[in-house]
Amino acid sequence: MKKAFFLAVIIAVFFTGLNAAVDAVPNTLTVRIYEPLEIMINPGFAAANPYDYSKTEIRVVFRDPLNAEIQCSAFYIESENYTGYMARFTPGRKGTWFYSARIEKGPEGGKTAWQAFECIDNPGAKGFIVPSPVDP
């Protein structure tokens, strides 16, 4: 009975509000603690002005191994390697993380299913704050 309920909850979460046109692909499935993860997001539509966040806003929700949520906004980028929406995130805890991208504002709504990546140890990494070499 519990297994059937758990399966039903997973299926409901997976299919609720999904839009097949929205896609989010990470640059890696394994990232070291305090190193950036980049997620390329295809919202399934072309915005008239992708830099106007009052008309197009994409957010990514990250869920850490302890089930706490962190949100960040995606941004539009044009480079020689990639043109489109991207979110950058740096996990600060080891373990399995989950993320889902969703369109907050735009001509179409939608969100991706929860996807996972693994955050592994990074010996010697202590975070981003370090003493200034110029003014210690």
Side-chain angles (χ1 to χ4, degrees):
M1 182 68 165
K2 286 184 180 180
K3 288 181 183 178
F5 175 75
F6 182 69
L7 182 59
V9 169
I10 289 175
I11 290 170
V13 168
F14 182 81
F15 288 105
T16 301
L18 294 183
N19 182 338
V22 181
D23 190 30
V25 179
N27 63 334
T28 182
L29 294 177
T30 304
V31 65
R32 291 174 174 249
I33 195 167
Y34 302 125
E35 289 188 359
L37 174 75
E38 293 183 338
I39 300 174
M40 285 65 71
I41 302 164
N42 176 2
F45 60 83
N49 179 357
Y51 299 104
D52 185 354
Y53 295 103
S54 68
K55 299 209 177 5
T56 304
E57 182 183 5
I58 300 172
R59 290 189 136 315
V60 181
V61 178
F62 293 89
R63 190 172 289 158
D64 77 6
L66 300 177
N67 225 21
E69 290 189 355
I70 301 168
Q71 293 188 32
C72 76
S73 293
F75 56 92
Y76 192 79
I77 183 171
E78 292 183 19
S79 71
E80 63 182 61
N81 298 328
Y82 176 72
T83 297
Y85 291 94
M86 177 184 288
R88 286 192 183 120
F89 178 73
T90 304
R93 178 174 284 133
K94 293 185 299 184
T96 302
W97 287 70
F98 295 90
Y99 69 91
S100 176
R102 67 177 184 248
I103 299 168
E104 297 287 328
K105 296 177 190 170
E108 299 176 23
K111 66 181 179 179
T112 65
W114 287 99
Q115 300 176 60
F117 67 92
E118 193 70 24
C119 180
I120 60 174
D121 199 12
N122 192 358
K126 299 192 186 325
F128 298 108
I129 301 174
V130 296
S132 168
V134 178
D135 189 17

